[in-house]
Amino acid sequence: MSDSRILYGYFRSSAAYRLRIALNLKGLSYESVSVHLRRGDQRKETFREIQPQGFVPALIDQGETLIQSPAILEYLDEVYPDTPPLLPPDPLGRARVRAIANIVCCDIHPVNNLRILKYIRGPLGHSEEEMITWYNKWIADGFAAIEELLASDDRTGRFVHGDTPGLADTCLIPQIFNAFRHDMDLTPYPTVMRIWDAATAVAEIADAHPDRQPDAEP
């Protein structure tokens, strides 16, 4: 099995951030190729041939192209079972982890994606302040539910599910980073923030931080 991997991403992309965390946790090496979203690299024909939607990330693994971060996260667990798992072994545990991950991936992130924000500020004519209000509202709604789910369940440990980071953490950590970027008040979510603090102490997660990427910008 080839160890050659290429991750097409952007340093601030939440979805690419998820995959960097997962690949690092699993000890899977990869080459990072930047697709600069603000300069329009995603619209270039060369990238559209890799990812027809023009979204990041895309992962080339064993010569095959994979798209959509939730699908890629599960692929990594299935294809590399000898690496640290992202999902727990029991069906109920897996369902819980997937549900919390999907609050981020399905309910928060899609409405706060860069292309959505550009449309709000551009064709719809809303101000930067209105855009930030929009952005933080959906994070607040999602984080309120996640906080309740985490705080009320004894399966929550240092991380979302137990004491090792997994699939839900790979999705939650980038979303917390995004909330920080927009100066959101995160004090109502103490369990979420405790997990953030634990995650920042894990080298594999810290190395995936946007500021540590080759294409990072101020």
Side-chain angles (χ1 to χ4, degrees):
M1 184 181 291
S2 171
D3 195 44
S4 176
R5 281 171 219 92
I6 301 174
L7 177 63
Y8 291 86
Y10 179 59
F11 76 109
R12 280 196 185 133
S13 161
S14 298
Y17 192 174
R18 295 168 196 160
L19 289 194
R20 293 195 302 264
I21 294 173
L23 289 163
N24 290 352
L25 288 173
K26 284 184 163 292
L28 299 172
S29 60
Y30 62 92
E31 175 190 352
S32 181
V33 175
S34 178
V35 180
H36 200 297
L37 300 183
R38 293 192 176 273
R39 295 176 188 162
D41 288 357
Q42 70 275 24
R43 295 190 291 272
K44 293 180 179 178
E45 184 177 349
T46 51
F47 183 63
R48 290 286 183 141
E49 290 174 353
I50 296 168
Q51 217 295 20
Q53 290 180 288
F55 296 166
V56 295
L59 180 70
I60 311 296
D61 186 50
Q62 303 179 52
E64 298 292 335
T65 302
L66 301 149
I67 65 171
Q68 292 292 344
S69 61
I72 301 172
L73 290 169
E74 299 234 13
Y75 163 89
L76 293 174
D77 245 11
E78 293 172 1
V79 175
Y80 299 101
D82 295 330
T83 60
L86 298 174
L87 286 164
D90 61 299
L92 285 175
R94 291 194 297 272
R96 176 179 185 259
V97 165
R98 287 172 175 137
I100 293 171
N102 283 343
I103 292 175
V104 174
C105 297
C106 299
D107 299 330
I108 301 175
H109 180 248
V111 294
N112 280 348
N113 191 277
L114 179 61
R115 66 196 176 102
I116 304 298
L117 302 181
K118 283 184 173 180
Y119 194 80
I120 290 171
R121 286 177 294 184
L124 296 184
H126 289 279
S127 68
E128 181 77 9
E129 183 179 354
E130 289 170 327
M131 184 276 293
I132 292 174
T133 299
W134 166 280
Y135 192 95
N136 287 347
K137 183 238 182 330
W138 304 117
I139 298 179
D141 285 359
F143 276 14
I146 291 173
E147 176 66 28
E148 183 175 348
L149 289 167
L150 294 176
S152 65
D153 196 319
D154 60 11
R155 290 173 293 182
T156 304
R158 292 184 62 239
F159 296 96
V160 169
H161 197 83
D163 293 329
T164 56
L167 186 142
D169 303 282
T170 71
C171 300
L172 180 59
I173 296 306
Q175 195 60 65
I176 299 171
F177 169 79
N178 286 344
F180 279 133
R181 285 187 61 226
H182 288 82
D183 298 321
M184 184 175 169
D185 178 15
L186 295 173
T187 54
Y189 320 109
T191 314
V192 169
M193 294 313 299
R194 178 177 59 73
I195 289 171
W196 168 266
D197 290 340
T200 58
V202 176
E204 292 84 355
I205 297 177
D207 287 344
H209 192 282
D211 292 346
R212 297 193 180 188
Q213 304 318 301
D215 60 337
E217 298 175 350

